[in-house]
Amino acid sequence: MARTILTRTALAAVSVASLVALSACASDAGGEPAGGGETTGADDGVITLGFSQVGAESGWRAANTKSIQDTLTEENGFELKFSDAQQKQENQIQAIRSYITQGVDVIAFSPVVETGWDPVLQEAKAAGIPVILTDRAVDSSDETLYESFIGSDFVKEGEMAGEWVAEQYDGEGFKAVELQGTTGAAPAIDRKEGFESAIEGTDVEIIDSQTGNFTRAEGKTVMEGFLNKHDDIDLVFAHNDDMGLGAIEAIEAAGMTPGDDIKIVTIDAVKDGMQALADGKINYIVECNPLLGPDLAEIAKKVIAGEEVEKRIVVEDLAFDQESAKEALPTREY
């Protein structure tokens, strides 16, 4: 499968002028607009894009939503129709069907879970509306149902976290607990796989694992349960910062010091997580960049203009220890 790595620096260089130019290409190319519906805006140089967001479960998701809403503006050649699925697949399917009925030019969404999308995506395909996946992929054998996926390599993120843990703690007999993301969600599945593969062959042992649904509140609740059940926890691997921040609250409430008595490794690198890392309460964070708005705008313009796009576009993620977090925080965008 084709794979392209996009960096933030390169994507940030996409100017409003270039977006408008691509809009002109879309409207001047002739023929039917990609959406094929009566209410599409491609004929007047404005792309109507229906976006279904997972929800508002974390700081990462809030930053992701802001990036999309700040980029897909009228000034940049878009009419954005936005919906919040509240972490329910049925809400997302309903929203996508609504966008099909409205005849939007492009549909984009970040799927709540990996499976169960083929029927509604086939409806979009039949209506001639291209689909772009952001942040999370779908599990489908028919890759013609979507134009492109834009997001991070979640397996690699898990591997990066696990490699650091193996490098730091192999040989010390560490007992780890895992705060998983939403059951069935791509980042939860892939980050778990990557982390486990990276610690394989070490004496780091995952003694318990449970979903915290990517939320701080549930991360705290699950961590409280782990602490009541186990008295030998050395390390927490949280699939996102928010669950790690919830774990910090539980650890502190139990009279222990997060980052010292119990090490914490997370994924996302949002500001709250980075501040906790700088303060020594988290030990290591692997980035998952939420600023996908420019990526989505660029790909949507190309799709409407009839240009070929890569099937899988993977953004570049970094990793941070305490010192690099302190350096990054003053200019951190999210």
Side-chain angles (χ1 to χ4, degrees):
M1 183 182 293
R3 166 177 164 150
T4 296
I5 304 292
L6 297 185
T7 64
R8 286 303 122 190
T9 303
L11 287 169
V14 178
S15 65
V16 171
S18 64
L19 292 174
V20 173
L22 279 170
S23 291
C25 290
S27 59
D28 293 341
E32 291 295 320
E38 295 180 0
T39 61
T40 60
D43 287 340
D44 61 5
V46 176
I47 293 176
T48 303
L49 188 146
F51 187 89
S52 177
Q53 182 61 283
V54 170
E57 75 282 1
S58 65
W60 190 99
R61 191 63 58 189
N64 179 244
T65 292
K66 186 176 188 301
S67 176
I68 289 164
Q69 292 178 331
D70 286 352
T71 306
L72 302 182
T73 62
E74 183 177 352
E75 181 184 43
N76 286 349
F78 288 92
E79 177 187 353
L80 176 64
K81 297 180 181 293
F82 185 91
S83 64
D84 181 338
Q86 299 178 326
Q87 292 191 293
K88 295 181 180 179
Q89 184 178 30
E90 59 267 30
N91 290 347
Q92 250 180 348
I93 291 172
Q94 182 179 4
I96 292 169
R97 287 191 169 131
S98 174
Y99 295 147
I100 294 170
T101 299
Q102 294 174 58
V104 300
D105 299 311
V106 180
I107 292 172
F109 73 112
S110 179
V112 175
V113 294
E114 283 190 333
T115 59
W117 299 104
D118 280 22
V120 72
L121 293 184
Q122 286 166 353
E123 292 172 28
K125 182 179 179 180
I129 302 174
V131 173
I132 300 169
L133 306 176
T134 70
D135 174 41
R136 302 178 179 183
V138 298
D139 183 4
S140 174
S141 59
D142 186 358
E143 292 188 354
T144 68
L145 296 178
Y146 62 93
E147 297 294 324
S148 184
F149 160 81
I150 307 165
S152 296
D153 185 334
F154 299 133
V155 173
K156 181 63 177 175
E157 290 171 351
E159 287 175 348
M160 290 168 69
E163 287 166 359
W164 185 85
V165 167
E167 180 182 340
Q168 297 293 317
Y169 305 122
D170 184 23
E172 298 186 26
F174 262 37
K175 307 294 185 184
V177 292
E178 180 182 31
L179 291 167
Q180 295 184 45
T182 304
T183 302
I189 294 168
D190 292 351
R191 287 170 183 170
K192 180 177 182 64
E193 176 189 331
F195 185 84
E196 289 179 349
S197 68
I199 64 170
E200 187 176 357
T202 73
D203 65 357
V204 177
E205 178 188 1
I206 298 175
I207 60 173
D208 215 333
S209 182
Q210 187 175 326
T211 180
N213 281 312
F214 287 123
T215 70
R216 191 174 307 194
E218 290 195 49
K220 179 182 179 182
T221 299
V222 173
M223 190 65 205
E224 288 171 343
F226 286 159
L227 291 168
N228 287 330
K229 185 177 177 182
H230 306 282
D231 60 5
D232 57 350
I233 299 171
D234 300 300
L235 181 138
V236 175
F237 169 48
H239 287 192
N240 77 338
D241 289 348
D242 278 76
M243 291 189 296
L245 292 166
I248 287 172
E249 295 179 17
I251 292 167
E252 289 179 332
M256 290 181 283
T257 304
D260 187 8
D261 295 327
I262 297 179
K263 312 297 184 185
I264 301 176
V265 176
T266 69
I267 296 174
D268 271 359
V270 296
K271 275 189 176 178
D272 285 354
M274 292 284 278
Q275 187 61 60
L277 176 56
D279 293 340
K281 295 183 178 184
I282 291 177
N283 302 87
Y284 194 70
I285 297 180
V286 175
E287 181 182 49
C288 181
N289 201 309
L291 306 182
L292 302 182
D295 314 41
L296 177 57
E298 181 181 13
I299 296 303
K301 294 285 187 177
K302 287 182 176 180
V303 167
I304 291 298
E307 298 180 25
E308 186 175 348
V309 296
E310 298 287 349
K311 200 68 177 181
R312 181 173 173 81
I313 299 169
V314 180
V315 299
E316 186 176 31
D317 293 321
L318 305 175
F320 300 89
D321 58 15
Q322 186 177 29
E323 291 307 311
S324 57
K326 289 178 179 178
E327 293 175 7
L329 266 171
T331 57
R332 196 74 175 160
E333 291 184 55
Y334 55 91

